[in-house]
Amino acid sequence: MDDAPRIGDLEVDGDALTGDGTTLSALADELACGIDETTAAEAPSDGWRVLRRLESGAVYLGSPVDADHRTWRVAQVHPSEQLPLVRVHPNTMDLRPSRAERRQGLELRWPSFVAEIADPSDLVVDIVIAGTARWTPESEGFRAVGALTAPGETGFSFGWMGSAADRAVPLDPGEVTRVPVQLQPQSDANSPEPGPYDLHVVVVELGLRLAEPLRVDLTAEMVGRQLAKQNQHRADAATERRAYDRQIEAERLRVSARRSWPEIAEVVGSAASDDEALARIAPVLDCEPEQATSVYDTSLRGLVRADADRRDERLQELIRRRDTIG
């Protein structure tokens, strides 16, 4: 949905932004869900509509709070939960242009000396204003991620995490800013063999890509250097696997907790101590009291507002990383 408008960071169906909508209670009935009244107390009573349905089954709802439909309240529901509830996000969110609109006028170009850089992990790329108007960031970052594929292959995926160091800056026509290309790390199990590859570069928050990939030739020395850099602070395989197992176990419990949250809240509410609370949570989640700590220590707000789809993706990514350990 690269060309879809966004509310906050959520890409939404553009057709859903028009029209009068309906009441939150009517929409909840249509979805066969209840409403978490503690989150909906100050939410609009009407104007609600479905903004987006995810493949996982999660549904995002929204209601404009101004006449121009520029500011919205957003809610989320997971109909597959045991007791599905519509939960309203506590803050308003602004309607934003699509990523395709936001990157208009920007281009990625290799600097003139790119041929002199042998190792892809040392590459930089230029972000250039090719349009006639100033480009001003709207909370976006200029993080450029590089992904290697077999020559001619165009499909690839990547993970990333932004930081303050990636902050974008305003650019006037003709101006250029140069940023490093963050090459996607490879594990020992799927590290590339020496040989030719296509390097694709994306400025992730804008979906800005190079028109054509750069052909690079990896030597055995480059591959070894990249893995050595990644592994210099890595624990031994057994220790690393155990650490991932603990993270996976905790993440699975937090996922389970979403389906059992009303019951957890009930048993914790009457507990006289932390130990008693953990002892009461354990049978609800079918785990040991010490394992229940990952749920007990999670903030209530974090659980209510959590994006279950991202949590599922995180769980699958943790499993994938664990399974690639030698």
Side-chain angles (χ1 to χ4, degrees), residues 113-167:
F113 54 82
V114 65
E116 302 172 19
I117 302 176
D119 193 331
S121 61
D122 296 330
L123 286 170
V124 293
V125 70
D126 290 341
I127 301 174
V128 183
I129 282 286
T132 58
R134 171 180 293 176
W135 185 89
T136 303
E138 295 181 358
S139 76
E140 297 101 344
F142 277 165
R143 186 174 187 83
V145 172
L148 295 170
T149 69
E153 187 176 316
T154 58
F156 60 92
S157 61
F158 53 82
W160 65 282
M161 181 177 294
S163 72
D166 303 322
R167 183 175 61 88

Side-chain angles (χ1 to χ4, degrees), residues 15-150:
D15 292 338
L17 300 178
T18 59
D20 296 330
T22 186
T23 63
L24 184 58
S25 58
L27 194 51
D29 289 343
E30 181 182 327
L31 296 169
C33 299
I35 298 175
D36 184 342
E37 297 294 348
T38 62
T39 67
E42 298 181 3
S45 59
D46 55 16
W48 290 91
R49 75 286 312 276
V50 173
L51 295 175
R52 185 176 175 187
R53 298 176 186 268
L54 301 186
E55 291 183 4
S56 65
V59 181
Y60 285 89
L61 318 175
S63 173
V65 298
D66 61 354
D68 296 331
H69 289 201
R70 304 298 303 176
T71 305
W72 292 71
R73 290 295 296 273
V74 174
Q76 185 181 16
V77 63
H78 297 268
S80 60
E81 290 181 342
Q82 186 176 4
L83 294 172
L85 291 175
V86 174
R87 296 181 173 93
V88 182
H89 192 283
N91 302 318
T92 59
M93 299 183 186
D94 292 333
L95 179 64
R96 301 172 60 199
S98 68
R99 293 197 302 163
E101 290 180 79
R102 287 293 301 142
R103 64 174 177 262
Q104 287 182 2
L106 296 178
E107 288 184 5
L108 285 185
R109 298 176 187 170
W110 290 116
S112 58
F113 54 82
V114 65
E116 302 172 19
I117 302 176
D119 193 331
S121 61
D122 296 330
L123 286 170
V124 293
V125 70
D126 290 341
I127 301 174
V128 183
I129 282 286
T132 58
R134 171 180 293 176
W135 185 89
T136 303
E138 295 181 358
S139 76
E140 297 101 344
F142 277 165
R143 186 174 187 83
V145 172
L148 295 170
T149 69

